[in-house]
Amino acid sequence: MKSNLFQIKHQLWLKILFGAFSVKDEAIFDTIYDFAMIEYRHLVWLGDELVSENVSFDYDKETIDFQAKNNFELFTIMIKALEEIQAHYTDSTMFSRFSSDEQYFIEKLTFLLEDENNDAPITAFDKSRKMEGFALDQAQTDALTLFLFEESYKEYELILVYTYSNFYNDSKVLGSIFSDLIYESHFHLKSFARMMSKMGLLSVPRTIMKRIYQFDDLEQFLVDGIKEEEAAKEECLKLAADVNHRELSAFFTFINYQENYHIALMEKALAYLEAKK
């Protein structure tokens, strides 16, 4: 069933994405992160097709098994997942694209496995709560830890909610706004998850409840979303003050200013909906 394939593709995207986040080497991370973003595009194309065929689907997922002791173990896990999903593809242009992309991913990961220099320990799950080069005290560490867990879930949620909304949206204006918000949330999720990885706290966000993305009132969702963004702004500023570290504080202030534009985009979407009444 294609709806079952949507769940499997969602899980594969997360396995590749969070696997990428766990890798220390920046060049290898960049390569695997690119693979994850292509898997996200696959998910979007599959969702669009399911909507056109009036097939229901959701974001339910099983436990994502991506944790590895070292890079080579991670590459092997990814190759196995990419190979297993091939059996779910039927004969179509879209599925041929999925398969050819993933055959390349497998080849690239296999090449990486052939060079011992690409192997390294993975410490993304060791719960050290320390970042190299950052001497944070207990209070600073606690504030940062709480923020990262809460905000990484929020960004994952926003990616999926706006993606789901776009599946059922036929407005070019709203589609553009939602796409911008999705892109921004990808960047925020990457930033927060990489920090979690460095602190040994990396984990896949919990499953999103259906009522959060399968809503009937888009206007109310946007109103609530603006309130959430305003709260996120306050959290960013509070964290910048609590951490009181020049580099980290500058980063979270930067995120705070980005949230200003997110609010403006959501207000634009609200104004568009109100004008259509």
Side-chain angles (χ1 to χ4, degrees):
M1 290 177 59
K2 283 187 178 179
S3 57
N4 184 48
L5 176 58
F6 188 88
Q7 179 178 344
I8 296 170
K9 286 292 280 186
H10 178 203
Q11 292 169 174
L12 179 61
W13 166 53
L14 291 176
K15 181 169 290 193
I16 303 296
L17 181 66
F18 280 80
F21 291 149
S22 74
V23 175
K24 289 182 180 179
D25 183 277
E26 287 297 326
I28 296 175
F29 161 71
D30 286 342
T31 295
I32 301 177
Y33 183 74
D34 285 345
F35 295 169
M37 294 306 291
I38 292 172
E39 286 293 346
Y40 168 75
R41 293 300 304 154
H42 288 184
L43 195 67
V44 171
W45 295 336
L46 179 58
D48 283 337
E49 180 160 299
L50 293 175
V51 170
S52 71
E53 296 174 355
N54 201 30
V55 176
S56 62
F57 58 95
D58 56 48
Y59 289 128
D60 285 354
K61 59 180 171 61
E62 298 174 354
T63 301
I64 310 299
D65 178 20
F66 76 102
Q67 294 191 11
K69 297 183 182 67
N70 54 60
N71 289 354
F72 276 15
E73 183 180 341
L74 175 65
F75 300 160
T76 302
I77 289 171
M78 290 179 174
I79 289 171
K80 183 173 184 289
L82 289 161
E83 288 176 339
E84 287 178 346
I85 201 170
Q86 302 304 307
H88 294 273
Y89 299 148
T90 54
D91 186 18
S92 77
T93 302
M94 182 179 69
F95 288 154
S96 293
R97 167 62 190 267
F98 291 0
S99 182
S100 63
D101 283 351
E102 289 162 354
Q103 289 300 327
Y104 172 70
F105 301 165
I106 291 168
E107 286 297 314
K108 181 62 178 179
L109 290 166
T110 301
F111 291 148
L112 290 173
L113 278 169
E114 293 172 359
D115 185 348
E116 290 293 334
N117 292 320
N118 294 321
D119 199 12
I122 290 177
T123 60
F125 324 108
D126 66 8
K127 296 181 173 58
S128 68
R129 297 215 305 158
K130 297 183 185 302
M131 281 200 296
E132 186 176 346
F134 295 87
L136 304 179
D137 63 24
Q138 186 70 42
Q140 291 170 316
T141 300
D142 290 346
L144 181 57
T145 299
L146 180 60
F147 176 88
L148 290 174
F149 273 107
E150 290 181 347
E151 293 303 305
S152 62
Y153 171 77
K154 189 200 86 168
E155 300 300 345
Y156 168 66
E157 176 186 287
L158 289 175
I159 290 168
L160 295 194
V161 170
Y162 286 121
T163 298
Y164 194 87
S165 295
N166 259 348
F167 288 144
Y168 295 93
N169 166 57
D170 57 5
S171 163
K172 183 178 179 180
V173 172
L174 292 179
S176 176
I177 292 171
F178 293 161
S179 294
D180 281 341
L181 290 166
I182 290 166
Y183 180 87
E184 294 280 281
S185 285
H186 275 299
F187 170 71
H188 287 188
L189 177 59
K190 178 179 74 169
S191 300
F192 300 151
R194 285 298 273 170
M195 294 177 75
M196 293 175 76
S197 180
K198 290 175 182 177
M199 296 177 72
L201 298 171
L202 186 64
S203 64
V204 175
R206 64 187 180 276
T207 299
I208 298 172
M209 293 180 288
K210 291 184 179 69
R211 63 176 177 78
I212 292 176
Y213 56 91
Q214 293 181 350
F215 50 78
D216 296 321
D217 191 338
L218 178 56
E219 287 187 56
Q220 187 58 51
F221 168 76
L222 290 168
V223 168
D224 293 340
I226 289 170
K227 292 177 182 176
E228 286 186 13
E229 293 289 349
E230 289 171 342
K233 276 174 49 62
E234 292 180 8
E235 286 300 314
C236 281
L237 291 175
K238 182 177 183 299
L239 183 63
D242 288 346
V243 170
N244 193 27
H245 182 286
R246 182 180 176 188
E247 185 176 346
L248 288 176
S249 295
F251 172 72
F252 289 114
T253 301
F254 157 71
I255 295 294
N256 165 64
Y257 286 129
Q258 289 197 333
E259 302 288 5
N260 288 339
Y261 192 63
H262 298 172
I263 291 171
L265 286 172
M266 296 164 79
E267 288 173 340
K268 180 180 178 181
L270 263 178
Y272 172 81
L273 290 171
E274 290 168 358
K276 285 186 65 178
K277 289 182 180 179

